[in-house]
Amino acid sequence: MLRLERRPTPSSLMRFASPLLAALCMLVTGFLLFSALGKDPVEAFYLFFVKPVSSTYGIGELLLKTTPLLLCGVGLALGFRANVWNIGAEGQLTMGAIAGGGVALWFGDSDSSLAMPLMLLAGILGGMAWAAIPAFLRTRFNTNEILVTLMLVYISQLALSWLVHGPWRDPEGQNYPQSQGFGDAETMAVLISGTRVTWGIVYALALALLAWIFSQKTFAGFRMQVAGLAPAAAAYAGFSEKRNIWIALLLCGGMAGLAGICEVAGPIGRLQQQISPGYGFAAIIVAWIGRLHPIGIIFGALLMSLLYLGGEAAQMGMGLPSAITGLFQGLLLFYLLAMDLFINFRLKRVESAETKPAAPAESLA
């Protein structure tokens, strides 16, 4: 009979190597899967991991998809380090897009230089306001932030759907659920000529650096890390749990909201019913691949972005279903969690009562 036993000292080397091993296991499983489907694995891997970045335009698309994944992943990691389990970055991204998009529609065709700064500010505040709801409910009524943040995702998506079907629908859009297109002043400038990547990737990288400085060099970041690693010690030291919850959720909400406005003010150029293929949920995987460290999250976001692009290329080039992207994402998370389990625990064989040899009877003499 086998049972899990906690290791006294988990391997630090394996903790950092496990994302690479998980990615390798994902590739091996993908090879077997493509072979079972009768597809050429070499061609499939070329379409997945090489073709999407074989041109300047492809690299731009990689950075474009990396932007929301990096913003949401860094924000989530700050909360996860403090044991604040925000699962609703997708909803905060959506509300940031709504708030910033509303500012863009208010400006209309104006050439005002204030349009873009106000849109970005509104996007950040919109995400923070949406994250403030679970923060208040957790600190006031001790509700579970996992459930609250997750349920708020669907509310935000329904709110967006109502807006683009109703008061914000483009009267000249042939009844498509979308708003009017944003003007030039409300559209983010392209960073690399010949691509669609915008200045959003610069904001994301800058915020990743600031997040590292916050978590490693500030007392507030230290308090949050202590609360995550040793809650009892944090309480004994007088660190406020409620303050940590508010900081973690508001920071993540603000960064997710910025991701939302970068999407609608960048490649999309308007509000529409679907503005994200699930970046907020995929960012949870990104945060864990990066080991909750901003530098690691950058590489995790690049890998996840490549999976999105590779899935699209495989659909067009080999006729694979759209679920192939989610399959690879799920495999990556599965292997990563499995390796985390065996980094912290080991299997130990124990004998059950039925298999133990009977003890010799003591003499009555």
Side-chain angles (χ1 to χ4, degrees):
M1 182 176 182
L2 299 175
R3 68 179 178 86
L4 288 172
E5 179 182 70
R6 182 174 290 277
R7 296 181 186 272
T9 54
S11 171
S12 299
L13 176 62
M14 285 303 300
R15 180 170 177 80
F16 288 101
S18 58
L20 297 177
L21 295 175
L24 179 61
C25 290
M26 176 193 69
L27 294 177
V28 172
T29 305
F31 184 92
L32 298 174
L33 177 64
F34 288 131
S35 300
L37 292 174
K39 306 292 184 180
D40 182 4
V42 176
E43 180 187 359
F45 280 178
Y46 172 78
L47 289 174
F48 244 95
F49 302 106
V50 178
K51 185 177 179 180
V53 291
S54 59
S55 65
T56 303
Y57 181 82
I59 294 174
E61 290 298 295
L62 180 75
L63 296 176
L64 184 67
K65 291 187 178 296
T66 298
T67 300
L69 291 169
L70 178 55
L71 285 168
C72 293
V74 170
L76 288 171
L78 291 173
F80 293 165
R81 280 179 172 271
N83 277 337
V84 180
W85 304 103
N86 178 11
I87 309 298
E90 182 76 4
Q92 293 144 27
L93 181 151
T94 302
M95 291 307 295
I98 291 174
V103 173
L105 294 175
W106 181 75
F107 272 97
D109 294 329
S110 171
D111 294 330
S112 174
S113 59
L114 294 176
M116 183 55 63
L118 290 177
M119 288 170 60
L120 295 175
L121 178 61
I124 294 171
L125 293 178
M128 293 177 70
W130 206 240
I133 298 174
F136 172 75
L137 293 176
R138 166 70 188 275
T139 55
R140 182 67 176 82
F141 301 105
N142 199 30
T143 57
N144 188 312
E145 73 273 15
I146 297 176
L147 296 177
V148 175
T149 54
L150 181 60
M151 293 299 103
L152 285 172
V153 171
Y154 303 103
I155 297 175
S156 65
Q157 291 174 342
L158 289 172
L160 175 62
S161 178
W162 172 73
L163 287 169
V164 296
H165 279 92
W168 288 1
R169 186 173 64 182
D170 184 2
E172 300 178 358
Q174 299 180 349
N175 285 330
Y176 283 106
Q178 62 186 25
S179 71
Q180 292 180 339
F182 299 161
D184 291 340
E186 296 89 38
T187 304
M188 298 186 73
V190 171
L191 182 62
I192 302 174
S193 178
T195 69
R196 299 194 303 159
V197 64
T198 67
W199 280 86
I201 186 63
V202 178
Y203 304 151
L205 292 172
L207 286 174
L209 175 61
L210 290 175
W212 177 82
I213 294 173
F214 171 79
S215 61
Q216 299 296 325
K217 305 296 182 180
T218 68
F219 186 60
F222 172 75
R223 286 198 308 260
M224 294 176 67
Q225 291 194 61
V226 173
L229 294 172
Y236 181 78
F239 296 164
S240 171
E241 181 186 13
K242 293 182 178 181
R243 178 167 49 191
N244 287 338
I245 292 170
W246 274 101
I247 292 174
L249 284 168
L250 290 181
L251 285 177
C252 182
M255 296 182 75
L258 178 61
I261 188 56
C262 285
E263 280 296 291
V264 297
I268 300 176
R270 65 176 75 235
L271 286 172
Q272 58 187 31
Q273 188 167 1
Q274 186 73 26
I275 61 174
S276 165
Y279 291 135
F281 294 121
I284 299 172
I285 306 177
V286 168
W288 286 111
I289 292 173
R291 291 304 181 204
L292 306 183
H293 191 284
I295 304 302
I297 292 170
I298 293 174
F299 292 102
L302 287 169
L303 174 60
M304 193 63 61
S305 175
L306 186 58
L307 291 180
Y308 273 113
L309 293 176
E312 295 170 359
Q315 292 174 50
M316 295 184 289
M318 303 185 71
L320 293 173
S322 59
I324 193 70
T325 300
L327 174 65
F328 272 87
Q329 292 177 354
L331 285 172
L332 183 60
L333 180 60
F334 172 79
Y335 285 123
L336 184 65
L337 294 177
M339 289 182 182
D340 280 351
L341 175 68
F342 289 106
I343 287 172
N344 294 289
F345 296 87
R346 62 187 172 193
L347 287 174
K348 184 177 181 180
R349 187 178 183 85
V350 295
E351 294 183 350
S352 62
E354 292 80 4
T355 59
K356 284 183 179 179
E362 294 182 2
S363 173
L364 298 178

